Amino acid sequence: MSHQGILVVVSGFSGAGKGTLMKELLKQYDNYALSVSATTRQPREGERDGEDYFFVSREHFQQMIEENKLVEYAQYVNHYYGTPKEYVDKKMSEGKDVILEIEIQGALKVKKRFPDALLLFVTPPSAEELRRRLVGRGTETIEVINARLRRAAEEAAGMEAYDYLLINDEIQPCVEQMHQLIQLQHSKTSYHLDFLSRMREDLYHLDDR
Ligand code: 5GP
């Protein structure tokens, strides 16, 4: 059996509760590694550099692009966000399933580059609930909330590109469902090509004995 970890992309509207979902998933199961992205946006209160994001200048971000240090990157509401390659490669080769919590443009780039990646889309049960959560969070100005809601409307157009939809109504059932979907992905034949070819070979030679 292959011990290579798999790549999981989690997207969803800003305010869908992805952050809490990820925190719980990592707390409850130990085979996951959450990639820390680089971004040019300012830290929110309580966010820590190197933990929530690597907060970098535009010049630094540009340099990372030029040096080919990102798996993918995208622009989201006036800022750049990208996935550093080194951490992803390291954790996957250690056998960890690596989770990228990224927006849709980045998700589609990952799917193109790694067709075996699992793409999950998280949404609250309704549009009204999404707005309620974004306003309730109180971390953004009304202009930014409105920009994020407009972006949500654009992202909604691409939801079918994802493999599975997760409706985040209650957190715990959603965490369990996410874990099950990732585990299921491990059984895909494309993750076991070495095993399959060995099995074929052995079957072929059974007659020789
Ligand atoms: P926020 O500013 O709320 O932390 O993130 C804004 C959006 O950027 C979210 O949809 C988040 O998933 C996405 N995002 C975070 N990191 C990355 C990344 O490395 N690449 C891409 N493409 N999107 C990201």
Side-chain angles (χ1 to χ4, degrees):
M1 287 281 169
S2 157
H3 292 291
Q4 170 89 6
I6 67 173
L7 202 51
V8 183
V9 172
V10 179
S11 301
F13 310 123
S14 177
K18 284 168 297 174
T20 320
L21 203 57
M22 294 297 104
K23 231 179 254 164
E24 281 303 310
L25 187 80
L26 267 83
K27 201 161 84 185
Q28 295 177 30
Y29 303 97
D30 62 9
N31 197 46
Y32 299 123
L34 186 62
S35 158
V36 179
S37 297
T39 183
T40 58
R41 85 149 161 75
Q42 292 299 309
R44 292 189 189 118
E45 207 177 313
E47 281 184 335
R48 301 237 293 256
D49 189 39
E51 247 173 61
D52 299 282
Y53 280 105
F54 295 106
F55 296 100
V56 300
S57 64
R58 279 191 173 244
E59 294 69 35
H60 188 156
F61 198 94
Q62 207 63 43
Q63 198 181 341
M64 290 174 91
I65 297 173
E66 277 158 26
E67 291 174 357
N68 200 21
K69 287 191 169 152
L70 300 174
V71 175
E72 60 71 40
Y73 67 94
Q75 204 170 356
Y76 179 94
V77 190
N78 295 330
H79 290 291
Y80 283 104
Y81 294 81
T83 307
K85 199 185 273 180
E86 195 181 336
Y87 178 86
V88 173
D89 288 347
K90 180 170 174 281
K91 291 294 165 182
M92 278 177 71
S93 64
E94 285 172 8
K96 296 266 187 196
D97 295 334
V98 178
I99 302 180
L100 312 183
E101 197 227 291
I102 64 179
E103 54 66 69
I104 192 162
Q105 300 168 49
L108 298 179
K109 287 185 205 159
V110 170
K111 187 73 182 176
K112 213 165 178 187
R113 204 162 156 188
F114 307 97
D116 293 331
L118 174 67
L119 267 62
L120 306 176
F121 196 90
V122 183
T123 168
S126 68
E128 196 43 54
E129 173 66 12
L130 179 67
R131 188 169 57 170
R132 206 182 59 74
R133 287 187 197 175
L134 260 183
V135 173
R137 186 159 83 177
T139 51
E140 269 92 7
T141 60
I142 194 70
E143 289 77 23
V144 173
I145 290 175
N146 285 333
R148 283 175 177 245
L149 286 171
R150 279 195 298 277
R151 178 61 183 245
E154 282 167 31
E155 290 200 325
M159 286 189 285
E160 285 92 341
Y162 288 76
D163 295 308
Y164 297 99
L165 190 64
L166 284 166
I167 297 177
N168 186 13
D169 194 358
E170 275 181 69
I171 193 83
Q172 189 52 28
C174 198
V175 169
E176 284 164 24
Q177 199 182 2
M178 186 176 282
H179 174 66
Q180 281 164 11
L181 288 171
I182 300 171
Q183 292 316 301
L184 201 62
Q185 184 79 350
H186 274 277
S187 299
K188 283 201 114 175
T189 49
S190 52
Y191 280 104
H192 301 287
L193 297 180
D194 288 352
F195 176 85
L196 295 184
S197 62
R198 211 174 335 115
M199 188 60 143
R200 262 190 221 110
E201 187 77 0
D202 290 352
L203 283 169
Y204 186 74
H205 289 111
L206 270 187
D207 276 357
D208 301 347
R209 285 198 237 139

